[in-house]
Structures are given as structure tokens and as C-alpha cells.
Amino acid sequence: MDSDSDFFIPASSSPSGMSAPFASYHLDDAYDELLEPNGTPRPQYEFLYHRLLELTPQELSQRQRSADLSFLHQGITFTVYSDSRGTERIFPYDLLPRIITAQEWDTIERGLIQRIMALNLFLHDIYHGAQILKDKVVPHELVRSSKHFRKQMLGINVPHDVYVAVTGTDLIRMPNGRFAVLEDNLRVPSGASYMLANRQVMKRVFPNLFNHYGVRPLEFYGQALLTSMRELAPKDRAGASDLTIVLLSPGVFNSAYFEHTFLARQMGVQLVEGRDLMVHDNIVYMRTTAGLQRVDVIYRRIDDDFIDPSVFRQDSMLGAAGIFNAYLHGNVTLANALGTGVADDKAVYAYVPAIVRYYLNEDPILDNIETYLCSDDDQREYVLANLDKLVVKAVGESGGYGMLVGPHSTAEQRADFARLVKAQPRNYIAQPTIQLSRAPCFLDNQVEPRHVDLRPYILYGSQIRILPGGLTRVALRRGSLVVNSSQGGGSKDTWVLGQ
Amino acid sequence: MLSRVADSLYWMSRYLERVDHVTRLIDVHLTIVPEQSTEAAHRRRSRLVTSLVGEKYPVDAITSDFELAALLTFDEDNPNSIARCIASARENARPVREQINSQMWEQINQMYLYIQNSSMADIWVGEPHQFYHRINQDVYRFQGITDSRVSRDQGWHFIQLGKYIERAAETADALNVDFRDLYRASLAVDAVDQNTYLEWVGLLRGCAAYEAYSKVYTANVQPNSIVEFLILNPEFPYSVRFAINAIQKSLDAIGVATETPKSARVYRLAGRLRATLDYAQVEEIMESGLGSSLLEIQNRCAEIHDIIYQTYIAYTYSDRVAK
């Protein structure tokens, strides 16, 4: 036992009187993942809490350095676009795990399965007959005006009727402790590789702690992803011994390129770029040293717009001409399907509870955040009058772009957004500013609370599979509510306990 | 294997082999010049610049070993500088990260980070040898990891092709440049004089060959023996003949793995060069002119490179659908 144990204080002491390394740990209105409102650690954090009291800040810093170095050497980086040299940075990693109990996870899991099933049924419906629009549960105009609605997909059947093979739902924990969905991310969600890399580093840095907790494993992600893709193969190719699955990446300059290579290796499939593909007689091929080889399933990590320059954006160099026709003929599977973005449109989001009830006849298990649609006159009035209190978001954007956080905004920014909202009301929604829950982070030799969210990954093949955990993203700047990596966010390992 | 991947593996390997070559030549150079006259040192620098940067580079601009080392180590405008070659190797490794194993990638990445964090001033203040030695060791470590851990599939063979095509061309080039400058000087005398001896040993060490040479010919350093060893020795890994053998073996393996009818063309081309070397005599080479023989070898290597591209990398749809 090291000398720091002299500072050990009973867990019942008040937060203000806490010893190093918790001296700057203060509670506020947000839900605290570590401490109960009375300042005692929550049961699942108790062991970690006491372990942190035993370790010296030097020991903790040393582990942080060793973790950072490991990320750097492995090249686990993302590219910063604003930097002309295309600098690669490591995705900041926080040393301390975020812990989720088996019971909490059970609710999350059931809630996600329910939500994904409903959204998938919704996608199938709106591209086949659109009964939900006829029944006026979701406004017709809202769907047809979505930037991500693809009229080319009307009447097209996709294997097993599965549109969203991979989802990365953003969850937040509300001040009342309940989990709510912030965004559905049904297009090309990223971050799974960081979840897996965080886990690898964590097991090296805190082996004993990890072992003590009985954390549920994540390592099977690559295999589960591969299995789902296999299950979604075109019907006449299902089970073929030479079934070929590829991961289609925009290439080395994409900010998520590390993730693409990582997942391709985890799945044991080829990572291809558009220039490796070629379509002939509605069959997709890749160019290999042994000639052209047929491709059956494309786990695509590029947006709808860039898939096929002969159908969508003509200037796209990332996809390959003819893929859409091959898809239309059922000769190749795209995962996710084209046109899924219409269901994660932030205005459609407001209707997801109704969508769940409509298709499944159940109450939603996970909460939705109250959402004001600027296309509605009354709601827009309210939004414009309360810009300083609300978060305003562009409906088709992601990654923290096109967003106004009212309480942290300047008068000038609010005036800009007011103009934007009035010009294109359909393009904007607003939500109350939610205090995301806070989790302990190791920063500057101290343990301090920072706001976090949680992105679990949901796979949908012939059945739904959910990884126990996900990527916990952290807003590393004190007080910040923005967790996106492009905006100063980091991440930490997420532990779902076995029991 | 994707054609683009084969291409990247090939160039990754070529660039690392070039790093090995350039690094060793500078390292050897810095140990030789302290014993040389100003004039000999200048000629030596000129040869290195001609060989490693290009004939067109204004040699007279380089007046010191510091400038030479900076040009060959860090210069951003010199595509063959060590820093540029390491960056190029890494650029080629990045898009195939899922194809090479993670240790190979980490090794390249660490080399890249190391050279990014080094500067000419730092190297010069300390012991330059330590820096170059470390880079050399890093390349060997990479090649060692490759040999120990990579399955002998097509990817491995494309890595071998890159390494040995680069090596054959470099050994031929080093011989060519040094002989042009040094050979006449020693032609008249039976035994080479002390200064020229230093240069011949430098040539051997530059080709990582001195110790291996001595085992075969003792320390009796003779131009003809050097040519024989560096071009025709079948066992020494840096000799041209060894490299051509390796190239032919890999082409054979790739042809079998891909079942490509056209592979015969590229195989024959390498086979012809190999046969020439198998039956060549050093005396004949010297009589017919070393320079033209070396040029012939370099041209053949370039041809092999071109045909590999036509056959495996840059073909069009009209060619064929894989089995």
C-alpha cells in the first residue's frame, strides 16, 4: 500500500471536504455517475473510488501517459480537416471507466431493440405505400421534404427488409437518472473502433480493476458485424462459399480512416475504395491481382450522395458508377440501405415515440427529448423567443455542426440563428438545454466531473445484436456540453457489469 | 488481393529499402571523409549526390558534409531524402493497414514519429552515427517482423518484389557511380593504393557487403572481385544476382496464386535476366564495359516493373473476370 492511503477518508464525508485526487470534484444539477446526491459513491463505483484514493496522482499520470503513447504508436488518430498539413491527432482518451450496472443496461438494451425495430419498420413503410403517412401519424410533408429522403428507393426491396444494419444511437442520461435518446444515427455511424481500442488499452492499464469488476466483453464486435453482413447477402448468393463482403471507405484522407481499416481487419474483409470497384452487367466487381472478383455485400462508410455518380452526386469520386443499378437488381447489398437518413432527420425524431406506438403497439422504453419543430408557427414563435435557453439544431446535420447552444451563445450568434430559422423553418428544430450526466475524468492530476453521453452500437442482420457498452464520449472542456471529437471531445471505456 | 493493395505493399517496401540504402551510404560516408583529402571528399560528396539525388542536382552547392547530410536526410524537396522516403513508406502502409499486421504498421509509424521529431542540428551535435544506425536497425526490424510474421501469400511476395527490385537497382547504381569515378585510378597498379582502398571498402560497406566479401575473398580488395561479388554472387543478399533470383521466385509464386495466363510474360523477362547473370563471367563484363552491363541490368529491372503493372495492377475490364 502506498503513502497516499494516509489520506483515506470515509466514503460518507461530504464532497466539499474530499481529499486528493477528488479535491475539485463538485456536484451540480446534472446527474453524477460517480456520486449520490449526498456525496457517497454509488455502489457500482465504490471499488473504483477507493482504488483512486490509494493511487498517487503520479501513478495515475503515468498510466495516462502510457495509454496516450499506446494510441499514438498504434496510429489511432483522426485527421483534423482545418489544419492544412492534415495533422493526425489522437482521440483524447480518459483513463477512468464509465460503469453501467446490469440492471441499467437491461433497460437500455430493451429500449434500443424496440426503437430500432420501429424505425426499421418505418423506413420500409415510407418506401412501400407509406401507410403511416396516410394515417397522419407522421406528416406527409415532413417526410417528403427531408433532405435524406431518396425517391429512388420507393418500391425497392432490400434483403430481409433490413434498412439499418448498423446503428449508433446517442443516449444521454437526464438529471432524473433516466436514459433518453438524443439522436438515432441511422446512416453511417462511426466510433465503434474507438470503443474497441479503448477497451484494449484499459485492460492493459488497469488489469486488476478490470478483472475485479467482471466487465462484459466487447471483442466479438468484428465477428458479429461480419455475421450480420453475411445474413444480409442477396438472396441468390446467400450461403455461397465465395460470398464476398467488403468495407467501402472514402480513403486515407477521411477523418475516420483509422476506423475503416480497424473494422476491416476485425471482420477479416477487404477494405476497398471506389476506384477498386467496377460494375459490369449490374454485377459489382473489385479489381484484384487475379482479375475481377464479384462483390456481394458492401458495408459502406460513405454517404448516400457519394455512392454512385451516375445516380446521385455526379462529382463524386468516392463510389463507383453503376452500383445503384446493381443494387436495384438485387445483385449487391448496401449496408446500411440507401435512404435511411430520412428516419434520423431531427424533425422526424420528434415523432419517434408515435412511430414506436404505431408499429409495435407498445409504449417507448427510452425517453425522447422534448423537441420544437420550427416548421410549426406556434412552436417557432416559442423557439425564437427563447433562443438563449434552447439548443437549436439543423435537422440534417451531425457531428455537432450547425448547432446553437443557447445558454453558451453570444447575441450575435442568436441573431444569426434567428435569421436562419426564419429563412428555412423546416431545417431547424430546438430542444431544451439538457444537462448531460457527468462522469469522473482524470484531468491535470485531479479527478473532475465532465459531461458524457453514450453511443451503443446495434447490429441488425437476421436478428438484432447489441454490444454491451458502447462509446462514452466526454466533453473535456469544463462546463461544455459538446462531446463531438471535432469540437474538443474525448472518450472513455464503458463497462457494463455482468450482474 | 486488391490490385491497389498490391501496389501499396510494393511501394511501401521499395521506399523502406531506399531508406536502408541512403542511410547506410551517409553513415559510411561520414566515417570515411575524416581520412580523406579535401578534393577526394568533394568528389565523394558529388558521387553521393549524383547517385542519391540525381544527375541534375547542382553538386557545387553542397560544400560540407553537414549540407550533404541535411540534403539526404531531411530535405523536403528531395524525394529520396530519408524523411521523405519514410513518409512515403508510411503513406503507402496506411491504406493497407488492415493487410499488414499491426506490428509492421507500428514499426513504420514509430520510424516516422522519430524522424519527425529529429532535426539536423540535433543529429550533428550528438553522434550522427547513432541516428543513422538507429534508422538502419529500424528498417531491419521491420523486415524482420515481415519475415517472421507474414504468411507467404501474394502480399508477402509483392513486398519482396518491391524490396529486391529496389535493391538490384541500387546495388547496380552504387557500383556504376563509384566505378566511373574510381576505376581508372586503380587500373594501372596491381594493388590498390591506400586512398583508393578506402573508397573500395566504402563501396562494399555501402552495399552492406564488406564483411561478407572478406569471407569470400579475404581482405584483398580488388575491383574485379568487387564486381564479381556485388553482381554475380548467388548467396549474398545484396548482390544483383541474389535480388534477381528473389524477384523471379516471387513472380513465380504470384503467377501460381493468381492463375494469370499473362504471368508467363513477366516471368520470362525476369528469367532471361537471371540466366544472363547465371552464366556471366566477371572478365566478360569488364571487357564489354561495366557501365553498359549495369545500365542493361537497370533497364531490365524497369521493364520488369512495367510489366508487373500491366499484368496485376493497372489492367482494364476487357482483361478478365477472376476465377
Side-chain angles (χ1 to χ4, degrees), chain A residues 88 257 276 280 288-289 292, chain B residues 1 4 90 95 154 315 317 322:
Chain A
E88 298 155 36
Y257 188 71
D276 297 320
H280 192 81
T288 78
T289 52
L292 299 174
Chain B
M1 152 164 291
R4 177 177 55 81
R90 182 171 177 273
Q154 282 182 62
Y315 61 86
Y317 180 78

Side-chain angles (χ1 to χ4, degrees), chain A residues 225-259:
Chain A
L225 187 56
L226 182 71
T227 306
S228 300
M229 295 296 156
R230 239 179 229 295
E231 290 165 353
L232 296 179
K235 276 200 190 70
D236 61 331
R237 296 281 294 158
S241 63
D242 60 342
L243 189 76
T244 303
I245 295 158
V246 298
L247 186 153
L248 173 60
S249 165
V252 70
F253 297 108
N254 186 267
S255 65
Y257 188 71
F258 160 74
E259 165 143 322

Side-chain angles (χ1 to χ4, degrees), chain A residues 116-337:
Chain A
I116 298 302
M117 279 182 66
L119 286 169
N120 197 69
L121 288 167
F122 173 68
L123 282 164
H124 183 264
D125 189 13
I126 61 165
Y127 289 119
H128 295 82
Q131 197 55 43
I132 194 168
L133 307 183
K134 289 174 188 153
D135 290 341
K136 301 201 186 316
V137 175
V138 177
H140 185 268
E141 191 41 40
L142 192 72
V143 168
R144 294 305 295 254
S145 63
S146 170
K147 180 173 147 192
H148 298 291
F149 178 78
R150 301 275 170 233
K151 60 179 189 303
Q152 295 91 338
M153 288 298 289
L154 285 168
I156 307 285
N157 292 316
V158 301
H160 296 274
D161 294 336
V162 171
Y163 285 78
V164 285
V166 183
T167 309
T169 308
D170 286 342
L171 299 176
I172 59 173
R173 191 176 245 198
M174 317 271 278
N176 65 10
R178 287 173 61 88
F179 282 94
V181 175
L182 189 63
E183 288 180 16
D184 288 295
N185 298 318
L186 306 172
R187 283 169 279 162
V188 280
S190 62
S193 62
Y194 296 110
M195 162 183 82
L196 298 171
N198 285 353
R199 175 59 56 84
Q200 276 173 14
V201 169
M202 176 58 86
K203 285 197 288 191
R204 209 157 16 183
V205 181
F206 280 126
N208 296 331
L209 192 63
F210 188 85
N211 184 261
H212 170 88
Y213 264 103
V215 180
R216 291 174 62 185
L218 293 173
E219 276 72 10
F220 61 95
Y221 184 74
Q223 207 199 337
L225 187 56
L226 182 71
T227 306
S228 300
M229 295 296 156
R230 239 179 229 295
E231 290 165 353
L232 296 179
K235 276 200 190 70
D236 61 331
R237 296 281 294 158
S241 63
D242 60 342
L243 189 76
T244 303
I245 295 158
V246 298
L247 186 153
L248 173 60
S249 165
V252 70
F253 297 108
N254 186 267
S255 65
Y257 188 71
F258 160 74
E259 165 143 322
H260 304 160
T261 62
F262 185 94
L263 292 179
R265 191 163 48 196
Q266 293 283 319
M267 295 168 77
V269 305
Q270 291 282 0
L271 179 146
V272 302
E273 297 179 18
R275 58 194 160 121
D276 297 320
L277 299 178
M278 169 186 294
V279 184
H280 192 81
D281 280 346
N282 295 321
I283 306 276
V284 181
Y285 297 97
M286 60 183 178
R287 191 188 278 109
T288 78
T289 52
L292 299 174
Q293 185 181 337
R294 178 170 179 168
V295 172
D296 302 296
V297 182
I298 301 177
Y299 174 34
R300 48 116 178 184
R301 296 298 302 257
I302 66 182
D303 291 334
D304 289 2
D305 276 340
F306 296 95
I307 279 280
D308 185 339
S310 63
V311 180
F312 303 105
R313 279 179 64 153
Q314 291 172 13
D315 60 344
S316 169
M317 307 283 283
L318 304 177
I323 289 191
F324 185 76
N325 266 336
Y327 184 53
L328 214 65
H329 281 78
N331 289 336
V332 71
T333 299
L334 297 176
N336 292 352

Side-chain angles (χ1 to χ4, degrees), chain A residues 22-198:
Chain A
F22 290 95
S24 350
Y25 205 103
H26 303 292
L27 294 174
D28 68 4
D29 296 343
Y31 181 91
D32 195 90
E33 301 278 342
L34 171 70
L35 299 177
E36 307 270 12
N38 68 7
T40 59
R42 298 183 188 277
Q44 69 271 27
Y45 276 96
E46 223 165 86
F47 188 82
L48 172 67
Y49 179 80
H50 289 124
R51 187 80 188 100
L52 289 174
L53 290 174
E54 288 163 12
L55 289 166
T56 64
Q58 288 75 14
E59 282 175 287
L60 283 168
S61 311
Q62 199 185 346
R63 287 174 202 222
Q64 179 76 53
R65 270 198 304 278
S66 128
D68 288 347
L69 213 60
S70 160
F71 281 108
L72 186 65
H73 284 169
Q74 291 179 67
I76 303 180
T77 54
F78 66 97
T79 311
V80 184
Y81 287 128
S82 52
D83 187 326
S84 65
R85 291 173 61 196
T87 306
E88 298 155 36
R89 300 240 178 93
I90 62 168
F91 191 26
Y93 168 77
D94 181 69
L95 202 54
L96 307 180
R98 188 248 187 102
I99 304 173
I100 294 174
T101 64
Q103 204 182 359
E104 288 167 340
W105 183 251
D106 179 61
T107 309
I108 292 174
E109 196 170 44
R110 285 186 297 114
L112 288 171
I113 290 175
Q114 179 195 52
R115 193 168 173 110
I116 298 302
M117 279 182 66
L119 286 169
N120 197 69
L121 288 167
F122 173 68
L123 282 164
H124 183 264
D125 189 13
I126 61 165
Y127 289 119
H128 295 82
Q131 197 55 43
I132 194 168
L133 307 183
K134 289 174 188 153
D135 290 341
K136 301 201 186 316
V137 175
V138 177
H140 185 268
E141 191 41 40
L142 192 72
V143 168
R144 294 305 295 254
S145 63
S146 170
K147 180 173 147 192
H148 298 291
F149 178 78
R150 301 275 170 233
K151 60 179 189 303
Q152 295 91 338
M153 288 298 289
L154 285 168
I156 307 285
N157 292 316
V158 301
H160 296 274
D161 294 336
V162 171
Y163 285 78
V164 285
V166 183
T167 309
T169 308
D170 286 342
L171 299 176
I172 59 173
R173 191 176 245 198
M174 317 271 278
N176 65 10
R178 287 173 61 88
F179 282 94
V181 175
L182 189 63
E183 288 180 16
D184 288 295
N185 298 318
L186 306 172
R187 283 169 279 162
V188 280
S190 62
S193 62
Y194 296 110
M195 162 183 82
L196 298 171
N198 285 353

Side-chain angles (χ1 to χ4, degrees), chain B residues 79-92:
Chain B
N80 294 332
S81 72
I82 296 171
R84 283 278 306 269
C85 286
I86 290 175
S88 300
R90 182 171 177 273
E91 268 166 41
N92 278 286

